[in-house]
């Protein structure tokens, strides 16, 4: 597959990067002013995320990385108008297809974790960083957290993390939410050889801080007005004492 053109657009409140890295798309888009931000939330999407579905192409705009990032920023402005928060929609890995063997294994997550850790430690140095991770993206985040210095990792709709329980997150606090309408709740959380990612992080034995996600379906965690979005935003703002626990 031919390389995609590199495009960079920078403004006071927005940075957009499309990096040539076949076969997958690599897009990083920043909402808010990264230069003055004290808090940075990085939205890491799951499977089936491409340039076409990064900020459009889906019936629920907030279910895309760009739409989710905008929703977090809008919620933050409502909850804390003076807070200096920037939100990054980060597609820095080869997102696997939902119907594929790759989505059941950690190869793409391992490769993406290295790039995510580098992005956090180099580009976001000096910021308080939270990773907000959806579905397969939660596997990427769990593998990236050790050594990254992130303050919080919040996972939603996770298939499992493919790592040891919460104590193995390299010092980051692990949060986990699962909506009542999420089909992922019915998917067995196990690991057989290279397939699967182990136990559910919302399980009591895992050690994560669970938070309320209401009746959210698998694509609804960043839906405006939802308890899940509010809790994810509070985590991003560092106001963790106000998070509604699940």
């Amino acid at each position: 597959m031919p390389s995609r053109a590199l495009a960079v657009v920078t403004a006071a409140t927005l940075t957009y990067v499309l990096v040539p890295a076949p076969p997958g798309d690599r897009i990083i888009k920043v909402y808010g002013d990264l230069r003055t931000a004290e808090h940075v939330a990085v939205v890491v999407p799951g499977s089936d995320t491409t340039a076409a579905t990064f900020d459009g192409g889906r019936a629920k705009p907030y279910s895309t990385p760009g739409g989710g990032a905008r929703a977090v920023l809008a919620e933050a402005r409502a909850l804390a108008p003076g807070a200096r928060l920037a939100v990054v929609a980060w597609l820095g890995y080869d997102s696997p297809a939902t119907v594929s063997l790759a989505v059941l294994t950690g190869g793409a997550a391992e490769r993406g974790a290295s790039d995510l850790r580098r992005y956090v430690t180099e580009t976001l140095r000096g910021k308080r960083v939270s990773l907000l991770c959806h579905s397969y993206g939660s596997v990427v985040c769990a593998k990236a957290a050790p050594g990254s210095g992130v303050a919080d990792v919040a996972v939603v709709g996770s298939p499992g993390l493919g790592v040891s329980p919460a104590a193995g997150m390299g010092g980051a606090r692990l949060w986990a939410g699962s909506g009542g309408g999420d089909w992922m709740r019915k998917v067995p959380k196990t690991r057989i050889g290279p397939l699967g990612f182990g136990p559910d992080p919302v399980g009591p034995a895992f050690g994560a801080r669970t938070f309320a996600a209401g009746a959210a379906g698998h694509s609804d965690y960043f839906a405006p007005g939802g308890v899940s979005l509010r809790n994810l935003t509070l985590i991003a703002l560092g106001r963790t004492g106000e998070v509604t626990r699940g």
Side-chain angles (χ1 to χ4, degrees):
M1 182 178 295
S3 298
R4 295 165 175 81
L6 173 64
V8 181
V9 178
T10 304
T13 59
L14 178 66
T15 301
Y16 180 90
V17 182
L18 176 58
V19 180
D25 295 318
R26 303 289 187 274
I27 304 175
I28 302 170
K29 193 171 182 179
V30 181
Y31 299 83
D33 194 336
L34 190 59
R35 295 172 299 179
T36 62
E38 294 177 345
H39 305 273
V40 180
V42 183
V43 176
V44 181
S47 60
D48 277 340
T49 307
T50 65
T53 59
F54 182 85
D55 200 1
R58 290 181 176 169
K60 300 176 178 179
Y62 53 77
S63 70
T64 68
R70 289 197 307 274
V72 171
L73 189 60
E75 184 76 1
R77 287 172 174 168
L79 292 172
R84 291 194 284 175
L85 172 73
V87 186
V88 180
W90 189 89
L91 178 60
Y93 79 107
D94 188 10
S95 170
T98 297
V99 182
S100 70
L101 186 61
V103 82
L104 300 176
T105 63
E110 289 279 2
R111 295 186 293 273
S114 177
D115 289 336
L116 177 57
R117 189 182 304 112
R118 185 180 307 112
Y119 179 76
V120 170
T121 57
E122 295 179 3
T123 305
L124 305 182
R125 182 182 303 172
K127 313 290 187 182
R128 182 191 176 279
V129 179
S130 300
L131 304 180
L132 310 182
C133 320
H134 177 247
S135 198
Y136 188 88
S138 66
V139 185
V140 179
C141 291
K143 294 179 181 297
S148 68
V150 300
D152 295 279
V153 177
V155 301
V156 289
S158 177
L161 299 182
V163 298
S164 300
M169 298 298 290
R173 287 174 296 195
L174 176 64
W175 301 82
S178 179
D182 190 345
W183 56 261
M184 185 63 76
R185 294 166 69 98
K186 300 178 181 179
V187 176
K189 308 298 190 299
T190 186
R191 186 167 189 168
I192 303 174
L195 302 179
F197 304 105
D200 195 331
V202 300
F206 203 88
R209 295 167 171 84
T210 57
F211 63 89
H218 193 63
S219 301
D220 299 330
Y221 290 101
F222 293 92
V227 64
S228 175
L229 175 64
R230 184 177 188 277
N231 283 330
L232 288 168
T233 305
L234 288 170
I235 292 168
L237 291 170
R239 291 167 49 174
T240 55
E242 300 174 50
V243 173
T244 306
R245 300 299 291 269

